Amino acid sequence: MLTIWGRKTSSNVQAVMWCIGELELAFSRIDVGHKFGGNDTPEFLAMNPNGTVPVLQDGDGEPIWETGAILRYLANRYAKAPFWPSKLESRTQIDKWTEWAKINIAAGFTVPIFWQVVRTPPNDRSEAAIKRGIDALGKKLDIAEARLASHAYLAGDEFTLADIQFAHVLFRYFDIEIDRPQHPSLRRYYDRMTERPAFQEHVMVSYEDLRVT
């Protein structure tokens, strides 16, 4: 049994939970962080000294923190090809796009755009900063657009771990009120993600509790 500490409105928790859902693993999730608190207790800090979510424990194993590390653990332990191939060369190609998505897409959207639009009081928002964030992210999404124009998924023609790390932010990206650049292949790809039951359950989650008005 997997135990996950982290609120369902955390995008990093959503990535982990989506992966768990796709792999059809049994789990128990404990709400921690934001309005639930609990991430500054001695017990939690003993698991993760950073005080951040998610944290995953597999049975009686040592707790794991950092979303990317958790995703790779789940893939290495429980997944098979094509989601996470055993052959190093093939796996590394997927890992390349997984890391790219984390560094460029998740990081480029969450704080520069989502936090500004949703988690910042209206009087404190900077429209110029939001536009800069959208423009910068748009250039990275141009790369994804080119990939998705000729491939069904980010790392190729099969659903892989790279799609988990990439697409878990797309629900919020397409849902919030911003002026997005046109990426038709990306939009078609996102629409297909919304048809996946695990995506619907773990990623298409209301973020109204996070909104600052």
Side-chain angles (χ1 to χ4, degrees):
M1 171 72 76
L2 301 172
T3 303
I4 302 93
W5 286 264
R7 56 186 170 83
K8 66 180 182 179
T9 54
S10 161
S11 61
N12 286 328
V13 173
Q14 289 172 2
V16 169
M17 294 306 304
W18 181 19
C19 184
I20 289 171
E22 292 287 350
L23 297 178
E24 300 182 332
L25 303 174
F27 69 89
S28 172
R29 186 183 58 79
I30 301 169
D31 282 318
V32 173
H34 194 52
K35 69 178 183 179
F36 299 101
N39 54 320
D40 58 354
T41 65
E43 295 78 11
F44 188 86
L45 293 173
M47 294 192 297
N48 181 1
N50 301 287
T52 56
V53 297
V55 172
L56 178 140
Q57 186 174 29
D58 190 351
D60 296 327
E62 185 175 349
I64 308 169
W65 39 270
E66 292 299 339
T67 305
I70 294 173
L71 290 175
R72 286 174 177 83
Y73 170 82
L74 292 170
N76 278 303
R77 179 152 191 179
Y78 296 108
K80 298 178 181 178
F83 184 83
W84 194 244
S86 58
K87 186 179 179 181
L88 177 61
E89 291 81 1
S90 300
R91 189 169 69 243
T92 301
Q93 292 303 311
I94 293 169
D95 201 14
K96 173 183 70 177
W97 284 105
T98 304
E99 191 70 7
W100 175 85
K102 176 185 177 183
I103 294 172
N104 295 285
I105 306 304
F109 170 75
T110 301
V111 174
I113 302 173
F114 183 77
W115 279 53
Q116 274 286 326
V117 174
V118 175
R119 303 192 66 174
T120 301
N123 291 339
D124 295 333
R125 290 174 198 156
S126 169
E127 295 301 325
I130 293 171
K131 185 179 185 305
R132 286 195 299 271
I134 294 171
D135 290 345
L137 181 65
K139 292 178 181 178
K140 297 301 182 180
L141 289 176
D142 287 344
I143 298 173
E145 176 69 15
R147 285 289 294 178
L148 295 169
S150 57
H151 296 85
Y153 298 95
L154 184 63
D157 292 324
E158 302 285 351
F159 181 80
T160 70
L161 187 69
D163 298 295
I164 299 284
Q165 185 66 78
F166 174 58
H168 81 275
V169 301
L170 294 183
F171 167 64
R172 292 179 176 183
Y173 173 74
F174 282 110
D175 194 64
I176 62 174
E177 296 182 4
I178 58 173
D179 186 14
R180 289 174 291 274
Q182 294 297 309
H183 290 117
S185 297
L186 176 68
R187 180 70 208 207
R188 288 191 294 271
Y189 166 84
Y190 167 69
D191 288 343
R192 285 191 290 114
M193 292 300 104
T194 66
E195 297 173 357
R196 303 184 75 91
F199 187 91
Q200 295 171 3
E201 180 179 358
H202 299 295
V203 179
M204 300 180 73
V205 174
S206 172
Y207 48 83
E208 287 306 306
D209 283 353
L210 305 178
R211 190 179 296 278
V212 177
T213 59

